[in-house]
Amino acid sequence: MTTNAIVPLHDAVLCQIGFVAKDADRVARKISEITGLKPGEPILTDGYEKARTQFRGNPTQARAKLIFFNMGQVSIEIIEPIGGPSTWKEFLDKHGDGVHHIAFTVKSTKAAADDLSAHGIPPIQSGVFEGGSYVYSDAEKELGVILELLDSTSG
Amino acid sequence: MTTNAIVPLHDAVLCQIGFVAKDADRVARKISEITGLKPGEPILTDGYEKARTQFRGNPTQARAKLIFFNMGQVSIEIIEPIGGPSTWKEFLDKHGDGVHHIAFTVKSTKAAADDLSAHGIPPIQSGVFEGGSYVYSDAEKELGVILELLDSTSG
């Protein structure tokens, strides 16, 4: 069944469904309405100086407003793009509101991203945040969705 | 925050991410490749006589090939539409492969679907299967995705 002995997500846990939204507050209100859950406080991601965001190989000042709902093993993340270019802005411009990614926790985002590349799923955006790092890998062609690799130990 | 005192998904558990795919076997092979997980045996849904599938208010003979991956609290379901009309076929024709729905287990699919309708999220397809029933509610406008309500006690 496999074309490559490396299994990029062999130790990974499906941990998040990421929505992109034009108005994160509106979508969060609707999710609260229908689930009764309260979201966390909105988070504003850092600019390039701190987040070191790279999109398609270039530094970008793109930021985002993030709102999270805890739903057990998985969280729902709502992402409102601020500025660009970014995978978030690109998705919003192309699709409007919708499911942007599915995230997996991994031991090393870089190693997993490299391994996914060998399976035809190349990285498109990466960055760091307080206590961790992420890579978005573009599985649009293979699966019809972006995969996010998340770790919370490296920075 | 709420416009309606009823909370349709107050007792619900996020249990599934549903992908629609032109070729479910191909997508399942790719997921196996990158995760190392083995899918369940493919399932062919029943025709109208057994599944009583309703799409946009009308009976339909639409069926689907389903392949599941267990990923803990959530499963990944890959759906290959067979015939139509159905929300699966409609999604594939419009978007190609991608995330079609997010599913929640509920006590009563009918009650939850009625409650979601009061929040602007109307049912678009329903049916029964061995040991349970489902409703797809169209949250495309509100959240950018379809929600599935699943129960495994009624039939």
Side-chain angles (χ1 to χ4, degrees):
Chain A
M1 292 264 287
T2 61
T3 57
N4 189 313
I6 296 166
V7 181
L9 302 178
H10 72 281
D11 58 354
V13 176
L14 200 168
C15 64
Q16 188 183 89
I17 303 169
F19 286 73
V20 157
K22 188 179 174 191
D23 180 347
D25 289 319
R26 186 195 66 74
V27 171
R29 275 196 303 275
K30 181 56 67 171
I31 292 175
S32 282
E33 252 183 58
I34 63 174
T35 63
L37 299 174
K38 286 189 181 175
E41 286 297 311
I43 294 166
L44 184 64
T45 66
D46 293 311
Y48 180 75
E49 291 66 30
K50 274 194 166 182
R52 304 207 298 273
T53 311
Q54 295 270 344
F55 176 59
R56 299 197 185 282
N58 295 304
T60 174
Q61 283 292 349
R63 302 173 73 180
K65 178 178 184 175
L66 309 179
I67 303 180
F68 291 91
F69 285 87
N70 180 342
M71 296 198 182
Q73 176 186 321
V74 293
S75 61
I76 285 185
E77 177 185 34
I78 307 163
I79 304 163
E80 180 181 318
I82 299 171
S86 69
T87 177
W88 310 313
K89 178 74 163 55
E90 189 174 78
F91 182 95
L92 187 64
D93 290 345
K94 192 171 172 188
H95 301 282
D97 289 6
V99 174
H100 170 266
H101 69 258
I102 295 171
F104 292 84
T105 52
V106 296
K107 287 179 187 159
S108 161
T109 55
K110 184 171 184 323
D114 288 348
D115 292 344
L116 279 176
S117 277
H119 288 273
I121 300 174
I124 48 165
Q125 183 172 315
S126 63
V128 297
F129 53 86
E130 186 86 18
S133 70
Y134 73 89
V135 175
Y136 289 116
S137 293
D138 190 0
E140 188 70 44
K141 186 173 150 235
E142 295 290 355
L143 306 175
V145 75
I146 289 166
L147 302 180
E148 183 178 23
L149 311 168
L150 271 172
D151 74 65
S152 51
T153 50
S154 68
Chain B
M1 293 263 286
T2 60
T3 56
N4 190 312
I6 296 166
V7 181
L9 301 178
H10 72 284
D11 59 352
V13 175
L14 200 167
C15 64
Q16 187 183 88
I17 303 170
F19 286 72
V20 158
K22 189 179 173 189
D23 180 346
D25 288 319
R26 187 195 65 75
V27 171
R29 275 197 304 275
K30 182 55 69 170
I31 292 175
S32 282
E33 252 183 56
I34 64 173
T35 64
L37 299 173
K38 286 188 182 175
E41 285 297 311
I43 294 166
L44 183 64
T45 66
D46 292 313
Y48 180 75
E49 293 64 31
K50 273 194 166 183
R52 304 207 299 274
T53 311
Q54 295 271 344
F55 176 59
R56 299 196 186 283
N58 295 305
T60 174
Q61 285 290 349
R63 301 173 73 179
K65 179 178 185 175
L66 310 179
I67 302 179
F68 291 91
F69 285 88
N70 182 342
M71 295 199 183
Q73 176 185 321
V74 293
S75 60
I76 285 184
E77 178 186 32
I78 307 163
I79 304 162
E80 180 182 318
I82 299 171
S86 70
T87 177
W88 309 313
K89 179 73 163 54
E90 189 174 79
F91 182 95
L92 186 65
D93 290 345
K94 192 170 172 188
H95 302 282
D97 289 7
V99 175
H100 169 265
H101 69 259
I102 294 171
F104 292 85
T105 52
V106 297
K107 286 178 188 161
S108 161
T109 55
K110 183 169 185 325
D114 288 348
D115 293 344
L116 279 176
S117 277
H119 288 273
I121 300 173
I124 48 165
Q125 182 171 317
S126 63
V128 297
F129 52 88
E130 185 86 19
S133 70
Y134 74 88
V135 176
Y136 289 117
S137 294
D138 189 0
E140 188 70 43
K141 187 172 150 236
E142 295 290 354
L143 306 176
V145 75
I146 288 166
L147 301 180
E148 182 178 22
L149 311 168
L150 272 171
D151 74 65
S152 52
T153 51
S154 69

